[in-house]
Amino acid sequence: MASSVISPAPTSSFINNKKDLGSFCFSSTSQFSVNKCKKLAVSKKIVSVMAPQQSERRPATTGSVKNAMTLTEKIFSRASEKPQLSPGDNVWVNVDILMTHDVCGPGSFGIFKKEFGENAKVWDREKIVIIPDHYIFTSDERANRNVDILRDFCMEQNIKYFYDIKDLGNFKANPDYKGVCHIALAQEGHCRPGEVLLGTDSHTCTAGAFGQFATGIGNTDAGFVLGTGKVLLKVPPTLRFVLDGEMPDYLLAKDLILQIIGEISVAGATYKSMEFVGTTVERLSMEERMTLCNMVVEAGGKNGVVPADGTTFKYLEDKTSLPYEPVYSDEKASFLSEYRFDISKLEPLVAKPHSPDNRALARECKDVKIDRVYIGSCTGGKTEDFLAAAKVFLASGKKVKVPTFLVPATQKVWMDVYTLPVPGSGGKTCSQIFEEAGCDTPASPSCGACLGGPKDTYARMNEPMVCVSTTNRNFPGRMGHKEGQIYLASPYTAAASALTGYVTDPREFLE
């Protein structure tokens, strides 16, 4: 493929004498252009994609704007009650939602009690969301005890949003149980544009898909937030990713974020905000936007964010009744760097072992023999992810050649797998198509084997294996055995690979 530069829009420049610093083909690299500069050298002609003005929108609560700010800077400004902020400023931020789960909740509660007192009360029982999801369906006593500690704390503090599970033998007997925290937060209406959402999990950044600041924090910070509702944060600079072009039918958002991480590396966005705009992003569903933001932490990002628009507001209509006020990057906001991609020319990708930035074209790995496929997690276990996998199986009409494990993220996703008809299937559900293809029966909703977990965790790799997975990390030991090899991929590529027993480009079945 011929190399060409995708130039910035005529109205957008970063330095007076523009110079493209990179132009590559979409092979193991990409076709893109990147403009980099220090903040002081940024031209005032920068633009960003702006959502249409809402007729009922109230004036920004940050007061008069002296200098243009990015979306993330505006959220920090509002949450810190300061009219103007710049990258590098340290501010006390008011937290709208704090989430914790069974792995980090007990430690956070311990710190809270140590620092605020055994009888202390949390700052706001309605702004704390507690979701057991990591090590749930196991006989491991310590893992089970963690859930008991969550339950005791929530009863003591009268926490409003605790999604409990007591019957581990039948998750459906637990109406409050949800599953993977990052997907449950969205489904249960805890994600809102313009807000600050913190969680004791690195993939809390998933919620940035809703136009809010969302990031992971440690147990110590969470203990402090439990008592005060505040946290000290540094304002991150923003990297802007402009994704344009019609996305081919064989690509998913997982391919887009693997492409980006492959370009900038796992350290390329360290303590930076990653803002996603462009015509491709505007056409993504909310679940696909969640996939995009979910893996910014694999690039070192502090947070990822997609400006709220009609798609966001439509999704939230039946999710939350609380008011929210979206914010958007100013036309002349300063971005540390801008990256542009023509998505119409992108091909299906994988991240080879043992790093999310070890990018390769799926077709370049066609000789890699695999032992299993795993479809699930906060990254690749949503309803649309299973619909995508079912689409490949349906198009092929074949049976899988390796064990294929399916772990819906939440109880709602599990129900969708069994009830929603797959387009073009004549009314068949995902579960019917999966059964016909010879996949394992969809498992109880949870984080499953993504983090490894206790030895009896469903689909955990307890011996050296090669796995194609829709999860987010492929470091040694990530899904169990330290000598396991994980190829990160989209649900399309994962399903195609299950059908052949090798890493496979999904175009083999979708074109």
Side-chain angles (χ1 to χ4, degrees), residues 11 26 86 230 267 298:
T11 56
F26 279 120
S86 298
K230 297 178 182 292
E298 272 70 52

Side-chain angles (χ1 to χ4, degrees), residues 235-254:
V235 181
T238 298
L239 304 177
R240 188 167 179 255
F241 296 85
V242 184
L243 281 58
D244 285 320
E246 184 174 352
M247 193 157 80
D249 292 338
Y250 46 79
L251 294 183
L252 292 169
K254 182 67 169 289

Side-chain angles (χ1 to χ4, degrees), residues 18 62 68 83 95 97 100 108 121 149 174 196 202 208 242 279 314 341 366 368 381-382 384 426 438 468 472 489:
K18 290 187 291 182
T62 54
V95 178
I97 294 290
T100 191
S108 300
K121 293 297 182 182
I149 293 172
N174 304 270
V196 173
S202 61
V242 184
T279 58
K314 181 68 175 177
F341 299 87
K366 60 184 177 61
V368 176
K382 304 178 292 300
E384 292 177 12
V468 172
N472 42 57

Side-chain angles (χ1 to χ4, degrees), residues 61 71-72 74-79 94 96 191-197 207-208 210-214 305-308 312-313 316 323-328:
T61 58
L71 193 161
T72 295
K74 282 188 175 182
I75 294 175
F76 270 63
S77 177
R78 175 190 290 172
N94 295 312
D96 294 294
C191 300
R192 287 175 289 270
E195 293 192 352
V196 173
L197 186 154
F210 292 85
Q212 64 183 134
F213 177 81
V305 68
V306 175
T312 319
F313 307 142
L316 292 173
Y324 56 83
E325 184 181 353
V327 295
Y328 304 94

